[in-house]
Amino acid sequence: MVKRRCLGWALLATALLPAVALSQGGGSIVGRVVDAGSQQPIPSAQVAIVGTRMGAVTDQNGYYRIPAVPAGTVTVRAARIGYGPATKTATVPANDSVSVDFALQPTTLKLEQVVVTGTAGNQTRRAQAAVVAGIDVGDLAQQAPVQSVADVLQSRVPGVSLEKSSGTSGTSQSIRIRGVSSISLSNQPLIFIDGVRATARNVTSGRAPNGQQAAGGCSGCDLGGQAQSLLNMIDPNEIERIEIVKGPAAATLYGADASAGVIQIITKRGALNSGGFRQTLNLEYNSIDANYTPPDNYGACTAALVAPTSPNPLCRGQAVGTIIHYNPLLANHVFRTGNLQSASWSGEGGGQNYGYFASAHLSREVGTLPSNWVNDKNARFNFHFQPSEKVVIDAGFGLIWTSTRLPDQGNNPYGFGGALISSPLTLGGPSNGWNGNYRDKDAIAAIDNRIDNTRAIPTAEVRYTPVSWFTNRLTLGADLTRSSSLRLVPKSSLGAYFAVDNNGSVKETRYTTSDYTLNYLGDIKTPFFHVANVESDVSFGVQVISEDLETIWADGLGLATNSAHAVSAAASRSGGQLPTVQQRSVGYLGQWQLAWRDRLFLQFGARLDKNSGFGENVHTFFLPKVGLSYVLSDEPFWGEKLPWVSTMRIRAAYGTTGRAPTPGAADQTYAPCPYVVGSSELAGLCLQNPGNPDLRPEKGTEFEGGADFGFFNDRVGAEVTYFRKTTTDLLLQRPLASSAGYDQSPFVNIGKVRNDGWEVALHAQVLDRRDVSWGVNVNLSTLHNEVLDLGDITPFGTTQRVAPGVPLEAFWGYKINQIDVANHRAVVSDTMQFLGNLLPDFEGSFGTTVGLFHNTVRLYGQLDWKTGYKVLNSTQSFRDRNNSVSLAAVDSTALSPEDRLRFFGPYVTESGTALGVSQVNDPYIQDGDFLRLREVSATVTLPTRFFARAGATSASLTVAGQNLHLWTKYPGPDPEIHANIVTTEFDQQDFLTFPPTRRWVVKLTLGF
């Protein structure tokens, strides 16, 4: 009923669009916008009459028309991302038209581009003291093989790093902006959609979206560290652009919860006078390869296994000690060729005072593992309405439905990865070469893990300008997500599972996540006390965010049949509910910006935050901000001094952000504690956590400085940025004496961490001719992370440790200092030492685009790399030491004497103390450096005559590949793996996890 009602409103709005158009009158302006070099048309360029809200958008052939223009002389401006703007003067005749054509020059700098994220007052890039990075998703989707928001973000912006959890279809990723700075709170950025806070939680089939489990436990519910990403539910085809706030620019508008950065997703919306109704249809097919050859398992035949009566076919009849090998994953054809089939439609149009955009998306992806698929459905309708010169209204409504089935994987007893540590000596027996009796391919695939999500995202924004110097913007919206998960372990008469599951078990969980946003921003723009050429922008506003999370579950044990798997049909039933998690925040903000000659800008800002997560003694959180931007190249002297440097801007910003404590962290809490009186059991309470009424948010203070350069008429551009961020008041748990009587230790504000580094973005339009064009993008970033102080809390952690003087959660262990072959030993340090970084200290990407034959053929490719970090190869460690199924563990001649001592010992410290093999992890903390050929694509513009009967006016075909090759010395399948994304953000570990897949993509795009 809800779906029909929403569809009905959308159809009614579309039908009423002509009724709201203003009457036509006056003259009109028509023309065409083309690339100055290639003379190719520029679609989606904005053409506007300066000083008014009248304008139009160019069509696919670069044409535009602005009707009902009052007669007289006007100034017309054309602009498009990637090009320098141009203006012309025209005289509009009464009841007639005038032609105004533009030839725009490509530019690598975008100082005139408007950004909406992290800004107030003057929103052009030239006025911003800190970098707000942008990705033009509309252009990117035409050339790169992107299926998700994660693909859009991957290696596009310096300082923004992504890492997928596995190659399983539908699983999530981690996103880090300028490293990590918190131990107890999330290091994931905030997500906004059209100005409305959106949830970006990772959903698993466990008890809560963040992976935390309720009392009573849920063995295996975390799927071995896998989760589904709510962020990736959004269809890239409905996104216009993405803006990323990385540093102090977030301070004023996003406040005490923006320390990890902000990602704003801006969806497409119709434009005024867009030249009629236009439609686009995308049909896509992906072939998905597992991109992985698992290693064989080895074993040495025993006397019993070589006997004629032996059930083991590989050992039977062989000599004792014969080394055999078997690969259950390959022998049983576990991996398959997956595929994705998708269809996306979008339509947009508009009249003189309105515009609209609508889209629909359907896709089904079949993963490379059994019992793995993802079904997605998306719909969106956006409406842009300008009833008068003073009022602009934008409204949008997005609907998302997803259904995902994930197999058990990674560090999970029921996962396919368990086959990597199984023994070939069990062939012919109950295990038959697998990791568990009768737990073969079919038994693992029969486990049903499903996650279903329904998501509605309504947004509305009203901009009101009662007078030319006073503007108001009110944003309202919500992100309403309803998730349900099912975990079914079927009955097994053979006993393939643990005893608790062999009679059949079912676990169901329901989550309700509701995020609400109210945001008001006002701006007064006036001359500064009549001082010549100085303009003042005073901005002020309030932001209110409300978040609710409810979780309820039910478990059933003992199923009569596998087909009747409702919890109510189980022999034993239980259930529960987590306390509703509520968080409320309100922020009051103000900013004053002074501009001199539109080239020198000074910003002073502040925000006052209140949050329900603060302790009761902490009333507000103050966040100041100051910034400077100076476009030196606008000075009259510049062209004479440095003619080859066409643009130069210097900028600096200093600001404060924060990260609010999780709801309830400051509160004193109690746990249910029943007690017995006589024969009766009565409800009682036990002390759980003493709380902390003085608990404050973590505070991030950051300096960012840099410069933007444009060379040779902006055909080559560079953005160079240095940042230094110090996070204080880190939330850590201070241990309590057991005599205090509490089960948990309270959080206190005590730690201090620093992140600093350089970011460089290079853009070059090397060629721009009629027959060939060539563009290059290079992104580089460095990162240094260091714990500065832990207060009175002693360093903690083992293999990954938190201690002053080294990076957060760095790898520690006994370091091998000498391989003593003569004495058959490996000598290690007396104490545990720092062994390497968790995060890369250098990342980069190189992308290039080539246009041939009047841009009818477009070639695109991207390489990216990460260096200076380590990966814990637990898969190899378990195969070598715990399960002894690697060739090195079975064959004493497989390694050199030096390497055998390195991996297997015996180990002694410098002072002569013997250590057990399991105590030395140094050999398995391995370099993760890599270079990856991430994407390659070729797009060909097809003759429209092939599709004329279907009514198409344009057509293109794209053939692409993703994750095509990896260069690395890492001995595992892929160093870019996050084995446990659910319960920790610091698990740089490869543990029975299958790597990211390889895709081959074919996409047909038709325009109507």
Side-chain angles (χ1 to χ4, degrees):
M1 181 62 71
V2 173
K3 297 178 184 177
R4 294 179 180 176
R5 186 179 303 155
C6 294
L7 179 61
W9 279 112
L11 293 174
L12 178 61
T14 305
L16 291 177
L17 290 178
V20 299
L22 295 177
S23 60
Q24 304 294 314
S28 62
I29 300 176
V30 298
R32 196 181 192 211
V33 182
V34 299
D35 183 291
S38 67
Q39 295 298 305
Q40 293 298 306
I42 301 177
S44 302
Q46 300 281 343
V47 184
I49 299 175
V50 177
T52 75
R53 295 184 181 272
M54 304 182 71
V57 178
T58 57
D59 62 17
Q60 293 295 321
N61 297 312
Y63 291 104
Y64 74 92
R65 179 177 183 270
I66 306 176
V69 181
T73 301
V74 297
T75 301
V76 187
R77 183 178 188 271
R80 176 70 165 88
I81 294 176
Y83 291 88
T87 58
K88 287 187 176 183
T89 301
T91 301
V92 181
N95 301 316
D96 203 350
S97 64
V98 62
S99 179
V100 181
D101 295 331
F102 292 92
L104 302 185
Q105 293 283 352
T107 179
T108 56
L109 289 181
K110 305 170 184 177
L111 296 186
E112 307 307 319
Q113 183 182 355
V114 173
V115 294
V116 301
T117 306
T119 62
N122 188 333
Q123 293 182 308
T124 59
R125 285 191 182 276
R126 66 167 45 232
Q128 305 311 312
V131 171
V132 178
I135 301 173
D136 187 343
V137 182
D139 281 352
L140 179 66
Q142 293 179 9
Q143 60 186 8
V146 294
Q147 290 88 26
S148 66
V149 174
D151 288 339
V152 171
L153 296 172
Q154 182 71 60
S155 305
R156 315 286 180 193
V157 175
V160 179
S161 182
L162 273 77
E163 197 170 67
K164 293 186 176 180
S165 57
S166 75
T168 306
S169 293
T171 51
S172 57
Q173 72 293 312
S174 66
I175 305 174
R176 299 188 182 102
I177 297 179
R178 291 180 175 172
V180 296
S181 56
S182 180
I183 301 171
S184 305
L185 302 178
S186 173
N187 287 288
Q188 301 298 299
L190 300 181
I191 305 297
F192 282 76
I193 300 175
D194 293 331
V196 173
R197 174 80 75 88
T199 181
R201 294 183 177 93
N202 292 321
V203 181
T204 181
S205 61
R207 288 306 182 218
N210 63 359
Q212 295 176 352
Q213 297 176 5
C218 181
S219 175
C221 273
D222 65 357
L223 306 180
Q226 298 179 110
Q228 182 194 52
S229 169
L230 293 179
L231 179 62
N232 283 338
M233 293 180 182
I234 302 167
D235 178 21
N237 291 294
E238 66 185 41
I239 301 174
E240 180 70 30
R241 68 185 187 277
I242 292 177
E243 295 179 352
I244 303 170
V245 170
K246 295 185 283 187
T252 303
L253 292 189
Y254 301 103
D257 219 15
S259 186
V262 177
I263 295 176
Q264 174 97 253
I265 296 172
I266 301 167
T267 62
K268 297 176 180 178
R269 55 195 63 241
L272 307 181
N273 297 316
S274 55
F277 182 59
R278 292 179 291 178
Q279 301 179 77
T280 302
L281 178 65
N282 289 305
L283 302 174
E284 183 173 336
Y285 180 83
N286 293 189
S287 177
I288 307 173
D289 177 66
N291 192 32
Y292 178 48
T293 301
D296 288 356
N297 298 326
Y298 292 82
C301 297
T302 64
L305 292 177
V306 302
T309 57
S310 168
N312 191 308
L314 298 181
C315 283
R316 189 169 53 243
Q318 301 292 330
V320 174
T322 298
I323 296 176
I324 62 171
H325 60 93
Y326 180 67
N327 196 315
L329 294 173
L330 297 183
N332 292 273
H333 307 288
V334 170
F335 297 106
R336 62 188 179 188
T337 300
N339 66 81
L340 177 143
Q341 303 173 62
S342 72
S344 298
W345 170 88
S346 65
E348 58 183 311
Q352 183 176 344
N353 69 325
Y354 69 92
Y356 59 92
F357 171 84
S359 68
H361 169 81
L362 296 171
S363 71
R364 177 175 175 82
E365 180 170 330
V366 176
T368 59
L369 289 173
S371 64
N372 178 209
W373 46 255
V374 184
N375 290 334
D376 282 338
K377 299 177 185 178
N378 292 59
R380 172 165 288 277
F381 183 79
N382 288 345
F383 184 50
H384 176 75
F385 180 39
Q386 184 179 319
S388 72
E389 287 289 314
K390 297 182 178 181
V391 178
V392 178
I393 300 172
D394 282 304
F397 191 73
L399 281 173
I400 303 172
W401 301 272
T402 64
S403 182
T404 304
R405 186 176 181 186
L406 298 174
D408 283 21
Q409 190 49 284
N411 182 18
N412 189 307
Y414 295 163
F416 285 106
L420 299 174
I421 54 174
S422 56
S423 173
L425 302 181
T426 65
L427 280 170
S431 295
N432 199 29
W434 288 85
N435 186 36
N437 290 346
Y438 307 105
R439 200 176 302 158
D440 56 10
K441 170 187 174 181
D442 293 337
I444 296 173
I447 299 173
D448 193 354
N449 300 299
R450 300 197 187 202
I451 305 172
D452 296 318
N453 296 281
T454 302
R455 191 173 182 185
I457 308 175
T459 62
E461 182 178 278
V462 180
R463 296 187 295 279
Y464 177 48
T465 308
V467 289
S468 61
W469 49 269
F470 183 28
T471 61
N472 300 267
R473 186 178 73 195
L474 178 66
T475 303
L476 300 168
D479 183 0
L480 309 174
T481 304
R482 306 296 180 261
S483 303
S484 64
S485 70
L486 165 74
R487 176 173 175 80
L488 171 66
V489 181
K491 290 170 63 70
S492 174
S493 59
L494 296 175
Y497 313 112
F498 295 136
V500 70
D501 291 323
N502 279 325
N503 289 325
S505 69
V506 59
K507 303 173 186 291
E508 294 197 41
T509 312
R510 302 285 186 269
Y511 328 118
T512 300
T513 307
S514 303
D515 294 280
Y516 302 94
T517 300
L518 184 153
N519 187 15
Y520 167 77
L521 185 65
D523 184 75
I524 297 175
K525 185 176 182 179
T526 59
F528 181 62
F529 294 108
H530 305 289
V531 178
N533 302 314
V534 179
E535 193 173 67
S536 169
D537 258 322
V538 176
S539 303
F540 51 90
V542 60
Q543 183 185 68
V544 180
I545 303 290
S546 174
E547 299 178 87
D548 295 322
L549 172 62
E550 299 178 7
T551 307
I552 189 169
W553 76 90
D555 294 349
L557 294 175
L559 303 177
T561 64
N562 287 328
S563 59
H565 56 253
V567 173
S568 59
S572 173
R573 299 175 295 276
S574 62
Q577 181 177 11
L578 289 177
T580 299
V581 178
Q582 297 180 327
Q583 188 159 16
R584 309 285 184 262
S585 67
V586 57
Y588 305 93
L589 61 96
Q591 177 180 288
W592 182 31
Q593 178 177 277
L594 289 174
W596 177 70
R597 294 183 181 271
D598 199 36
R599 66 187 64 159
L600 176 62
F601 304 89
L602 293 173
Q603 289 181 351
F604 306 91
R607 175 171 170 140
L608 199 62
D609 262 22
K610 297 182 178 182
N611 192 295
S612 60
F614 298 172
E616 61 182 19
N617 294 339
V618 180
H619 302 293
T620 57
F621 183 52
F622 180 67
L623 302 98
K625 168 189 172 183
V626 61
L628 175 146
S629 173
Y630 186 17
V631 186
L632 279 167
S633 53
D634 281 359
E635 295 292 353
F637 65 80
W638 188 264
E640 300 175 0
K641 301 293 184 182
L642 295 169
W644 51 278
V645 183
S646 47
T647 302
M648 181 177 179
R649 177 174 76 118
I650 58 174
R651 47 184 165 76
Y654 179 86
T656 301
T657 56
R659 205 57 158 163
T662 55
D667 300 334
Q668 184 173 5
T669 58
Y670 303 88
C673 191
Y675 63 97
V676 176
V677 176
S679 60
S680 301
E681 183 179 279
L682 302 178
L685 293 175
C686 287
L687 297 175
Q688 187 177 47
N689 193 308
N692 181 358
D694 297 316
L695 197 65
R696 305 181 301 276
E698 297 183 342
K699 182 179 180 180
T701 302
E702 184 168 15
F703 167 79
E704 174 185 311
D708 304 334
F709 303 92
F711 305 97
F712 312 113
N713 293 321
D714 290 350
R715 297 183 70 87
V716 177
E719 297 176 359
V720 181
T721 303
Y722 171 76
F723 70 91
R724 186 182 183 91
K725 176 180 175 181
T726 302
T727 303
T728 57
D729 290 339
L730 241 65
L731 269 67
L732 298 174
Q733 287 182 287
R734 176 182 283 148
L736 290 177
S738 57
S739 59
Y742 288 94
D743 292 335
Q744 299 175 358
S745 298
F747 280 100
V748 294
N749 298 99
I750 201 168
K752 187 176 183 180
V753 173
R754 184 176 66 223
N755 289 281
D756 61 86
W758 289 88
E759 297 169 352
V760 178
L762 302 173
H763 314 280
Q765 189 64 40
V766 183
L767 293 173
D768 185 33
R769 299 176 180 174
R770 183 181 294 270
D771 54 344
V772 60
S773 63
W774 179 23
V776 172
N777 295 304
V778 178
N779 295 315
L780 307 170
S781 63
T782 68
L783 175 67
H784 173 73
N785 172 262
E786 183 180 347
V787 178
L788 300 179
D789 188 21
L790 291 178
D792 59 4
I793 295 178
T794 58
F796 54 92
T798 51
T799 304
Q800 288 180 239
R801 189 169 178 80
V802 177
V806 295
L808 269 177
E809 297 284 351
F811 287 111
W812 284 67
Y814 292 100
K815 184 176 180 60
I816 298 176
N817 293 328
Q818 180 187 0
I819 302 297
D820 186 355
V821 177
N823 293 304
H824 189 63
R825 65 180 187 173
V827 182
V828 303
S829 58
D830 283 332
T831 59
M832 297 184 75
Q833 306 290 320
F834 167 70
L835 297 180
N837 293 339
L838 177 81
L839 301 181
D841 59 18
F842 178 55
E843 299 185 43
S845 67
F846 172 85
T848 184
T849 305
V850 177
L852 302 172
F853 313 114
H854 305 283
N855 215 35
T856 57
V857 176
R858 299 183 300 280
L859 307 177
Y860 168 80
Q862 179 174 288
L863 289 162
D864 58 67
W865 61 88
K866 297 179 181 179
T867 65
Y869 77 110
K870 300 285 187 176
V871 178
L872 175 58
N873 193 340
S874 292
T875 299
Q876 183 183 350
S877 175
F878 266 65
R879 286 172 54 80
D880 285 351
R881 295 175 171 181
N882 296 66
N883 296 68
S884 300
V885 296
S886 68
L887 181 61
V890 176
D891 185 353
S892 61
T893 66
L895 298 177
S896 66
E898 292 81 2
D899 282 342
R900 177 153 294 280
L901 290 172
R902 182 182 305 278
F903 286 98
F904 295 95
Y907 301 107
V908 296
T909 66
E910 295 277 6
S911 57
T913 303
L915 295 178
V917 172
S918 62
Q919 292 179 273
V920 181
N921 286 322
D922 187 10
Y924 300 100
I925 297 174
Q926 301 165 347
D927 289 339
D929 300 358
F930 72 86
L931 171 67
R932 189 187 303 275
L933 180 56
R934 182 76 62 177
E935 297 166 345
V936 170
S937 72
T939 301
V940 180
T941 301
L942 302 175
T944 55
R945 66 177 181 272
F946 295 153
F947 304 95
R949 297 186 64 179
T953 57
S954 64
S956 65
L957 180 69
T958 298
V959 179
Q962 192 177 56
N963 193 22
L964 298 181
H965 193 74
L966 177 69
W967 293 270
T968 182
K969 294 182 179 179
Y970 177 68
D974 197 311
E976 201 176 20
I977 286 177
H978 198 307
N980 189 358
I981 203 168
V982 176
T983 58
T984 178
E985 295 181 300
F986 298 102
D987 193 4
Q988 193 70 54
Q989 182 181 185
D990 176 357
F991 193 20
L992 310 180
T993 306
F994 299 154
T997 56
R998 177 184 293 121
R999 290 175 183 259
W1000 296 102
V1001 180
V1002 178
K1003 182 171 71 173
L1004 176 65
T1005 302
L1006 300 176
F1008 300 88

